[in-house]
């Protein structure tokens, strides 16, 4: 005789989304039709019939009616304090205004000023479906900075807000021991590594992951360190202190080795091709043989030779970049670098094909934090006037979406618990009124985000 089934029935879900494409972005890129959430985690993904048994009397059911679910967006390079202080002004929009009226640089003087800026960013990002972001550079190197947006006090503000439950996106931070977009000294960097005590992590919500180093400037200003000369014959240089190119390079290498030895993830602002070659070699040497998955990465990586990309792939060094910046500054870049070099700017296609992990991000408030625009820039490489910047570097829509979700989860070292929609992972997701994989990409910025969920909690719902 068959024994009765004594297994306990499954616990009813807190929230169920059903009746539309659920793009899991798991290892097999499966698309489901429904998803259940309980206690902040995804409990089941599958067909509508498979999820139906988890609907209980207290379960909130959201009928998708064809709307699409994506993993929560992770803007892996976004200046949250600065964005909150600057909004609604964006640097690229001011540049496009041809030297018209510009917003004054913010001056955050108090704890309340900084907290208000962070919370303004929180309220801006939730309706965009952004559930995680990286604050790329806060620390004592900017404690005397005029803006008040990048000093070490902001780290404490983030930690406090996280502990108070007032954040609606998970924040990863990088420490800054030099000036933002400015010079660093090897001595000051070593002192910061040795003496600065970052705030403790707030589990799942705030974490200091490592350090940021500004290795060089940017090509339009001719202070990115280049192999070939600019039109005026100069090559740019590293931003590290030193009396010669060789000494600056040696000190940069020492900084990278010291940061890796201290257990930090390292994000290096590197735009010139000569800079990136030196940085990648130093990162490879620092991490060789120790077995640690450090997840070091280049920030921007405007110009990268094929050999540099191959070295990055071999060493697991990522690329965090913003095609929208190249597109927005294409005319300046053409005048500074020439057409042949411009075609290689922001080499996202080459990087992916070489096996490099590519994250797309906004660098906001340089660009808009609206990732939909970022996807369009990565897929079309077209400006508003239709001119192209590196059309051979275009990505597919699915690749661009992975670069805003699964790839940055790996940059965060958090792919085991976020970044894709799988049972057991954090219930971080967004719902779009139309499936972004079924429309022309140019229409994506007009597709509304109707729901944002973080840790199983609805933080945005379009009424």
């Amino acid at each position: 005789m068959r024994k009765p089934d004594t297994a306990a029935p499954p616990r009813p879900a807190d929230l169920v989304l059903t009746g539309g494409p659920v793009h899991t972005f798991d290892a097999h890129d499966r698309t489901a039709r429904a998803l259940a959430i309980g206690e902040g985690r995804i409990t089941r993904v599958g067909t509508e019939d498979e999820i139906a048994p988890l609907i209980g009397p207290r379960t909130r059911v959201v009928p998708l009616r064809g709307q699409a679910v994506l993993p929560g967006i992770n803007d892996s390079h976004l200046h949250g304090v600065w964005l909150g202080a600057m909004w609604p002004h964006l640097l690229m929009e001011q540049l496009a205004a041809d030297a018209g009226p510009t917003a004054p640089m913010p001056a955050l003087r108090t704890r309340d000023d900084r907290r208000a800026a962070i919370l303004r960013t929180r309220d801006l990002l939730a309706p965009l479906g952004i559930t995680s972001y990286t604050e790329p550079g806060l620390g004592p190197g900017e404690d005397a900075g005029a803006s008040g947006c990048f000093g070490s006090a902001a780290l404490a503000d983030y930690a406090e807000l996280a502990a108070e439950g007032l954040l609606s996106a998970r924040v990863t931070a990088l420490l800054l021991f030099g000036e933002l977009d400015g010079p660093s000294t090897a001595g000051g960097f070593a002192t910061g590594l040795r003496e600065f005590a970052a705030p403790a992590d707030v589990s799942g919500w705030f974490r200091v992951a490592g350090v940021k180093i500004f290795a060089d400037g940017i090509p339009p200003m001719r202070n990115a360190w280049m192999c070939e000369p600019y039109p005026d014959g100069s090559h740019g240089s590293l931003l590290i202190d030193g009396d010669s190119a060789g000494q600056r390079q040696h000190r940069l290498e020492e900084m990278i080795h010291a940061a890796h030895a201290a257990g930090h993830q390292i994000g290096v602002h590197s735009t010139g091709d000569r800079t990136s070659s030196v940085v990648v070699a130093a990162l490879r040497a620092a991490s060789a043989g120790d077995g640690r998955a450090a997840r070091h990465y280049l920030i921007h990586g405007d110009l990268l030779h094929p050999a540099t990309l191959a070295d990055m792939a071999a060493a697991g060094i990522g690329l965090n970049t913003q095609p929208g910046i190249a597109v927005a500054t294409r005319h300046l870049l053409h005048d500074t670098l020439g057409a042949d070099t411009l075609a290689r700017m922001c080499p996202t296609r080459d990087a992916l094909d070489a096996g490099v992990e590519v994250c797309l991000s906004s660098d906001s408030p340089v660009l808009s934090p609206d990732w939909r625009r970022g996807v369009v820039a990565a897929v079309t490489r077209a400006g508003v006037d239709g001119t192209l910047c590196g059309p051979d570097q275009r990505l597919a829509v699915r690749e661009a979406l992975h670069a805003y979700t699964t790839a940055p989860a790996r940059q965060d070292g958090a792919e085991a618990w976020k970044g894709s929609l799988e049972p057991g992972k954090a219930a971080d997701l967004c719902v779009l009124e139309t499936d972004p994989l079924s429309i022309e990409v140019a229409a994506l910025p007009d597709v509304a985000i109707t729901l944002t969920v973080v840790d199983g909690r609805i933080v945005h719902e379009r009424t």
Side-chain angles (χ1 to χ4, degrees):
M1 185 173 68
R2 182 176 180 272
K3 294 182 179 179
D5 186 355
T6 58
R11 183 186 182 279
D14 299 324
L15 178 65
V16 162
L17 287 71
T18 184
V22 177
H23 295 296
T24 66
F25 288 0
D26 66 5
H28 303 285
D29 252 342
R30 285 177 284 211
T31 299
R33 292 290 298 178
L35 173 148
I37 294 168
E39 297 182 339
R41 296 279 165 172
I42 297 167
T43 57
R44 189 177 295 178
V45 180
T47 66
E48 294 167 64
D49 288 344
E50 289 170 332
I51 302 303
L54 299 183
I55 298 174
R58 293 187 175 87
T59 302
R60 177 168 178 193
V61 179
V62 176
L64 293 170
R65 299 188 179 93
Q67 296 181 106
V69 183
L70 296 179
I73 301 300
N74 185 338
D75 192 330
S76 50
H77 188 95
L78 178 148
H79 301 272
V81 184
W82 190 21
L83 173 60
M86 286 282 293
W87 185 256
H89 303 287
L90 302 170
L91 270 64
M92 282 298 120
E93 289 185 357
Q94 292 179 3
L95 179 66
D98 294 325
T102 60
M105 189 66 177
L108 307 182
R109 301 302 184 197
T110 68
R111 170 178 173 270
D112 286 346
D113 290 343
R114 295 187 301 271
R115 284 170 63 99
I118 294 169
L119 294 177
R120 188 176 300 119
T121 292
R122 175 200 65 184
D123 295 341
L124 173 64
L125 300 186
L128 294 174
I130 296 172
T131 60
S132 293
Y133 67 91
T134 291
E135 177 75 72
L138 300 174
E142 274 285 332
D143 279 351
S147 74
C149 293
F150 310 106
S152 53
L155 293 165
D157 299 326
Y158 268 117
E160 289 176 2
L161 289 166
E164 293 165 16
L166 294 178
L167 298 181
S168 62
R170 307 177 191 277
V171 179
T172 301
L174 298 179
L175 299 175
L176 186 63
F177 297 128
E179 294 179 26
L180 188 89
D181 289 322
S184 299
T185 68
F189 189 84
T191 299
L193 286 178
R194 184 174 61 251
E195 298 182 0
F196 182 72
D201 295 353
V202 179
S203 181
W205 289 100
F206 175 75
R207 181 174 75 96
V208 175
V211 298
K212 182 178 184 179
I213 298 172
F214 278 90
D216 66 355
I218 57 175
M221 300 301 294
R222 302 184 183 185
N223 57 6
W225 196 27
M226 304 289 290
C227 294
E228 298 297 325
Y230 294 106
D232 63 1
S234 66
H235 288 263
S237 68
L238 295 175
L239 290 175
I240 313 304
D241 65 317
D243 295 328
S244 67
Q247 187 178 61
R248 287 189 288 271
Q249 177 177 331
H250 178 68
R251 288 178 174 174
L252 172 62
E253 292 164 346
E254 286 185 328
M255 292 162 65
I256 288 171
H257 280 259
H260 179 84
H264 289 295
Q265 181 184 38
I266 307 169
V268 184
H269 171 113
S270 177
T271 63
D273 51 3
R274 192 170 181 183
T275 304
S276 292
S277 177
V278 167
V279 168
V280 168
L283 290 171
R284 288 194 75 180
S287 56
D290 70 359
R292 178 165 72 92
R295 314 290 174 94
H296 302 322
Y297 60 99
L298 298 190
I299 296 168
H300 306 308
D302 290 1
L303 292 164
L304 298 166
H305 288 297
T308 303
L309 289 170
D311 287 344
M312 291 171 68
I317 298 167
L319 173 63
N320 192 301
T321 193
Q322 307 82 27
I325 294 179
V327 169
T329 60
R330 63 199 178 281
H331 300 303
L332 288 174
L333 292 168
H334 182 278
D335 295 343
T336 305
L337 301 173
D340 291 343
T341 303
L342 179 61
R344 299 188 289 110
M345 280 291 294
C346 191
T348 46
R349 175 81 273 147
D350 290 348
L352 275 185
D353 289 349
V356 175
E357 187 87 80
V358 174
C359 293
L360 298 178
S361 57
S362 70
D363 201 9
S364 195
V366 176
L367 296 171
S368 165
D370 189 340
W371 59 274
R372 296 168 296 186
R373 297 188 192 182
V375 169
V376 173
V379 172
T380 68
R381 304 289 294 231
V384 294
D385 61 358
T387 59
L388 301 179
C389 179
D392 291 343
Q393 300 302 326
R394 288 181 285 205
L395 301 182
V397 174
R398 187 179 292 273
E399 290 172 327
L401 292 173
H402 272 283
Y404 273 108
T405 53
T406 56
R410 287 188 287 271
Q411 178 182 289
D412 290 343
E415 70 272 24
W417 63 272
K418 73 174 185 178
S420 59
L421 302 178
E422 301 177 72
K425 288 194 173 184
D428 297 355
L429 57 86
C430 60
V431 178
L432 279 68
E433 67 176 351
T434 305
D435 186 352
L437 292 168
S438 69
I439 60 172
E440 292 294 327
V441 70
L444 181 58
D446 295 324
V447 174
I449 295 158
T450 60
L451 194 74
T452 305
V453 176
V454 183
D455 209 41
R457 178 170 60 95
I458 295 174
V459 298
H460 161 71
E461 185 169 15
R462 189 180 68 168
T463 56

